[in-house]
């Protein structure tokens, strides 16, 4: 059982998904993608910054196909009431027309971000478009979206690690941990 003592963050609750579990699951997803896209010569992994960075760099090294990567940076504004308003801070550089695009994100919560970005990308005429997310808070979805490649379904905890942050902290943890919000606020 992995503990959180190695890292100097005082807000870590519980390790929910260990490094080993993540590694195994990412390998599994990569095998699936390798199989599904074996005929494709135009595979693009499109990561959403910054949360997907750790995930996409592990995933891409396990996909045994020619591929390219690109990134978009988006922010979502969610107050007490989720508005679903998403802003593009920086767009991808690749012309995705004719490409098989896999949109890669760290976590799907309400689903607004993925829905928004998917709609935007569809208008840019990719040959195909699928979604790959490391984590999915299924119970929190506010819109109907399909996640084609999902790492883990998790309950409604706020989590950090493996790229995910709380106010930009915790991204370098090698595992997924819950945040102890009482400790975080104190
Ligand atoms: P959605 O639009 O509600 O699906 O929000 C997805 C985005 O919110 C993710 O890409 C994350 O940036 C952020 N997010 C949602 N839940 C968490 C969490 O538990 N930890 C860290 N970030 C989260
Ligand atoms: Mg994100």
């Amino acid at each position: 059982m992995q503990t959180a003592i190695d890292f100097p963050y005082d807000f870590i609750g519980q390790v929910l998904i260990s490094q080993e579990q993540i590694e195994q699951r990412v390998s599994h997803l990569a095998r699936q993608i390798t199989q599904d896209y074996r005929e494709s010569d135009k595979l693009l992994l499109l990561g959403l910054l910054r949360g997907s960075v750790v995930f996409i760099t592990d995933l891409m090294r396990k996909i045994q196909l020619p591929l390219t990567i690109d990134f978009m940076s988006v922010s979502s504004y969610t107050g007490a009431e989720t508005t679903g308003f998403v802003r593009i801070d920086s767009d991808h550089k690749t012309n995705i027309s004719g490409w098989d695009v896999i949109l890669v994100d760290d976590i799907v919560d309400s689903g607004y971000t993925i829905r928004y970005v998917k709609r935007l990308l569809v208008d840019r005429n990719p040959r195909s478009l699928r979604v790959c997310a490391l984590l999915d808070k299924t119970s929190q979805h506010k819109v109907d979206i399909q996640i084609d490649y999902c790492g883990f379904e998790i309950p409604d905890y706020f989590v950090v690690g493996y790229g995910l942050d709380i106010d930009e902290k915790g991204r370098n943890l090698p595992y997924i941990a819950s945040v102890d919000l009482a400790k975080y606020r104190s």
Side-chain angles (χ1 to χ4, degrees), residues 26-169:
V26 173
S27 297
H28 179 82
L29 292 175
R31 278 197 298 276
Q32 261 184 291
I33 292 170
T34 302
Q35 176 66 19
D36 294 351
Y37 289 84
R38 62 192 181 281
E39 309 289 351
S40 174
D41 55 355
K42 282 193 150 192
L43 176 59
L44 172 71
L45 302 186
L46 181 50
L48 295 187
L49 294 172
R50 282 168 277 204
S52 73
V53 161
V54 182
F55 180 37
I56 201 171
T57 51
D58 276 350
L59 186 69
M60 67 185 277
R61 283 177 289 174
K62 292 172 186 285
I63 297 174
Q64 294 171 329
L65 295 171
L67 60 78
T68 62
I69 59 165
D70 205 337
F71 294 95
M72 291 172 83
S73 180
V74 302
S75 354
S76 49
Y77 290 85
T78 50
E81 281 294 306
T82 311
T83 61
F85 179 76
V86 181
R87 188 181 73 189
I88 304 291
D89 295 321
S90 135
D91 214 336
H92 60 84
K93 302 288 186 289
T94 316
N95 176 357
I96 65 169
S97 175
W99 283 76
D100 292 310
V101 178
I102 304 180
L103 182 58
V104 181
D105 203 4
D106 53 356
I107 185 165
V108 178
D109 186 357
S110 67
Y112 284 131
T113 305
I114 288 295
R115 184 178 67 168
Y116 180 89
V117 176
K118 256 191 105 168
R119 283 179 175 172
L120 187 96
L121 295 179
V122 163
D123 287 342
R124 297 174 177 178
N125 297 312
R127 180 158 63 191
S128 66
L129 177 59
R130 287 186 176 163
V131 174
C132 175
L134 178 71
L135 304 174
D136 181 18
K137 291 185 190 171
T138 320
S139 66
Q140 298 307 107
H141 287 193
K142 300 241 174 8
V143 290
D144 190 24
I145 44 152
Q146 184 179 337
I147 302 170
D148 304 283
Y149 303 99
C150 173
F152 303 89
E153 284 186 18
I154 61 163
D156 184 27
Y157 292 127
F158 199 87
V159 294
V160 289
Y162 200 71
L164 290 99
D165 70 305
I166 183 158
D167 298 333
E168 297 302 325
K169 291 186 281 286

